[in-house]
């Protein structure tokens, strides 16, 4: 395995690259852009890279389905950490282009909902076509295939373009969440501000099946931060569930949730416990602390020994 190499969703100039460069270790790694999320993750699976940074969630559009599906299938991978990056777009054009000259625009499909209102107000006649990434859209503008691309302002220099308009976003405080993914390993030690991710498959589809999953979290006081359904490919109505929750696998309340899910689910794929990027500490009710679980376990042991 190349321990010095990290892959990311490329090409150069993507928000993913910008997010990756916020990690301290990025300064000492070879950063290699890949053409797609699957390609970035497959390099890790093949031992050609130690880790890959890929987008997983956007505050406007929700989950990045390609990443969710890749983590749910194939050889297991694990999330090591996450990065939150504020997102604002620039309209990148070839030098000398005026706003009235922009008839065709491009960008990643996830970018479109984040600039739709601005586009309707400023360029109502412009035709949108999607690109593999925002940076790839910038490359296509450089090649003359489109008049403008919605991308990060930092991508302009890479592709010899001009930021015609900057700070474009329909939603204030828009952000994208990225995850650093590697081969399965022992999770990092808990920090007190952690997140645990899993993928769940129902054992059978019956009334209340999803409620059974939710109750595993609820009865132990574990807050679910995200839940999304994804088709399994096995037919209409067959779904798996991608879930993030507060806490670390070493927290008793979280480990009890995972054991409960293992009992009621057909399959549970553990995607990792890792530090939260926002560093928010979970609020734990007194009866759900590790001490409370230990005291209850000790009491049960005394009961079984006739000392209860």
């Amino acid at each position: 395995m190349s321990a010095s190499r990290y892959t990311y969703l490329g090409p150069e100039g993507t928000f993913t690259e910008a997010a990756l460069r916020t990690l301290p270790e990025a300064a000492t790694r070879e950063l290699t852009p890949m053409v797609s999320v699957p390609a970035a993750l497959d390099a890790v699976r093949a031992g050609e890279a130690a880790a890959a940074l890929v987008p997983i969630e956007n505050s406007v559009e929700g989950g990045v389905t390609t990443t969710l599906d890749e983590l749910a299938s194939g050889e297991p991978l694990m999330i090591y950490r996450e990065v939150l990056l504020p997102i604002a777009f620039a309209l990148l054009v070839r030098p000398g282009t005026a706003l009235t000259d922009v008839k065709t625009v491009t960008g990643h499909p996830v970018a479109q909902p984040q600039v739709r209102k601005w586009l309707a107000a400023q360029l109502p006649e412009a035709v949108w076509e999607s690109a593999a990434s925002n940076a790839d859209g910038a490359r296509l503008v450089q090649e003359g295939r489109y008049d403008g691309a919605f991308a990060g302002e930092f991508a302009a220099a890479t592709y010899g373009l001009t930021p015609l308009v900057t700070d474009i976003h329909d939603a204030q405080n828009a952000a994208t969440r990225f995850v650093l993914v590697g081969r399965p390993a022992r999770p990092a030690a808990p920090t007190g501000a952690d997140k645990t991710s899993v993928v769940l498959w129902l054992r059978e589809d019956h009334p209340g099946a999803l409620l059974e999953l939710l109750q595993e979290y609820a009865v132990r006081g574990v807050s679910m931060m995200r839940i999304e359904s994804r088709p399994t490919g096995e037919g209409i109505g067959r779904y798996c569930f991608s879930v993030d929750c507060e806490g670390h696998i070493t927290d008793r309340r979280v480990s009890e949730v995972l054991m409960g899910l293992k009992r009621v689910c057909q399959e549970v794929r553990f995607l990792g416990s890792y530090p939260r990027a926002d560093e928010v500490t979970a609020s734990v009710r007194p009866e759900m602390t590790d001490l409370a679980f230990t005291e209850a376990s000790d009491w049960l042991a005394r009961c079984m020994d006739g000392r209860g």
Side-chain angles (χ1 to χ4, degrees), residues 153-174:
E153 185 177 356
F154 48 80
T158 300
Y159 295 97
L161 302 177
T162 298
L164 185 60
V165 184
T166 60
D167 199 29
I168 301 172
H169 48 76
D170 290 349
Q172 294 293 328
N173 303 316

Side-chain angles (χ1 to χ4, degrees), residues 3 25 42 103 107 122 129 145 164 189 220 288:
E25 61 266 37
D42 283 345
K103 307 300 182 184
Q122 303 297 326
E129 290 190 23
R145 295 176 58 181
L164 185 60
R220 296 173 180 89
M288 297 300 175

Side-chain angles (χ1 to χ4, degrees), residues 4 24 29 42 52 61 74 89 118 140 184 226 259 263 280:
S4 64
R29 301 293 195 274
D42 283 345
E61 278 293 277
F89 294 90
W118 185 94
L140 295 173
R226 181 187 61 85
M259 287 190 290
R263 289 195 304 272
V280 174

Side-chain angles (χ1 to χ4, degrees), residues 114-160:
Q114 301 179 66
V115 301
R116 183 183 293 121
K117 293 179 181 177
W118 185 94
L119 193 58
Q122 303 297 326
L123 294 170
E125 303 299 324
V127 176
W128 170 286
E129 290 190 23
S130 294
S133 69
N134 296 311
D136 192 53
R139 178 185 63 80
L140 295 173
V141 171
Q142 179 190 46
E143 294 175 356
R145 295 176 58 181
Y146 299 97
D147 300 322
F150 289 97
E153 185 177 356
F154 48 80
T158 300
Y159 295 97

Side-chain angles (χ1 to χ4, degrees), residues 223-260:
S223 177
M224 298 177 71
M225 304 178 69
R226 181 187 61 85
I227 179 169
E228 295 188 48
S229 62
R230 294 297 303 151
T232 63
E234 299 173 353
I236 296 294
R238 302 291 295 175
Y239 293 91
C240 62
F241 297 89
S242 176
V243 181
D244 298 331
C245 73
E246 287 186 335
H248 193 277
I249 190 173
T250 58
D251 297 332
R252 285 289 297 271
R253 67 189 186 282
V254 176
S255 63
E256 294 259 351
V257 168
L258 297 179
M259 287 190 290

